[in-house]
Amino acid sequence: MNLPINITQDDLLEILLNVAPVRPVFIWGAPGIGKSALVEKFSQEVGLPCVSLLGSQLAPEDIIGIPQIKGETSEFLPPKMIARKEPYVLFLDELNACSQEVQKAFYSLIHERRIGEYYLPEGSIVIGAGNRSQDSAIVKTMSSALINRMFHVQLKADSKQWLSWAYEAGIHPWITDYICQRPDHLFSEPPKTEEPYSTPRSWHMLSDALIESGAGRKELSEEYLRILTYGCISASHAGMFLAYTKQMKNSHLLSDIIKGEVKWPSKPEERDVLYFLAQSFRAQLLHELPKNKQKMNKNAAYFIHRAKALIRDLSQINYEIAQMVVSAEEGNVLPDWFMMEIVRDLPRLASGFQNRR
């Protein structure tokens, strides 16, 4: 399943509040993107307990129960976890990872909210979730009959909404500060090989490791910090995060560079720090430069003036890194009017950029 529309965490909660009480909702999304946590949050908001079943670990009898003879007939007794007297949220996680036999057992539960002769209490809500086939996760083909019984949404990671949660949840300040500067590193698509990759869950895991290790309260060796970081997130993001922790010690903060209080780090041993700062600078340009030059205010005009000066200074330190700042990397392109000014003021740099495009 790959829906043409992706929704954020806040959008999902709105959908669940309005759709889930009347129709089962199925949430598609990559592993670690926050599907389970959002269902838990939804159940808390509606004041219902949440019962989670993991599809990949279920057998048909775990749903329909076992038969019991009563007089001359028999009936199935549903499991105690499902057969409750009060309404609740039934969360069927990894639903598309279970076998076809288990999927069949879900038909009446999802469509009619019943198992045999047992009906879910009035007011109960059924929500399913699963990974996509492109996520390199355990996924089985879901039958068309089961797909057609549910309302489908596809979840995406939203850095601003995740940061709002992260501040309240006590995520380590190194991570919240880093994601503020590099929001594009919150999530990366699952790799084809067996290796860690960045998701909201893996950043949370790294936060737990940093907090337990006392990062920020005591000095951690570079090697130990490398072990923690590369064990949780994408290798490329891990390298950038380590450069960020190093630049904190060197006091080369991007905001200070933009203000003109300090200069780009230029020593050979600071090259990884320079690369991180340049990447963060590019991300800030993409975020803050207006698409239309006519709509800028005085603060934006000053930022643009400083940006061009900083790109010129950066090109004198490292030409390739300066080109990276203005390149069309991963389909993200700086506004045309800004690039025209770069062409005018820094023709050599712009020529190299155009050749790369």
Side-chain angles (χ1 to χ4, degrees), residues 133-169:
S133 58
Q134 65 264 38
D135 292 327
S136 301
I138 300 175
V139 173
K140 293 182 173 63
T141 302
M142 191 183 298
S143 71
S144 58
L146 191 55
I147 289 176
N148 198 237
R149 282 172 161 81
M150 292 177 287
F151 178 93
H152 298 267
V153 293
Q154 185 164 280
L155 186 63
K156 67 177 180 180
D158 183 279
S159 59
K160 289 183 179 179
Q161 293 179 16
W162 185 82
L163 282 169
S164 296
W165 167 85
Y167 291 128
E168 294 182 3

Side-chain angles (χ1 to χ4, degrees), residues 21-33:
V22 293
R23 291 288 181 180
V25 173
F26 191 93
I27 308 165
W28 297 88
I33 205 168

Side-chain angles (χ1 to χ4, degrees), residues 323-336:
Q323 276 196 326
M324 178 271 298
V325 170
V326 297
S327 68
E329 187 180 84
E330 298 179 354
N332 295 316
V333 183
L334 297 175
D336 290 340

Side-chain angles (χ1 to χ4, degrees), residues 90-102:
L90 178 58
F91 179 41
L92 309 174
D93 199 6
E94 296 186 8
L95 176 56
N96 58 336
C98 61
S99 65
Q100 293 292 329
E101 289 73 20
V102 174

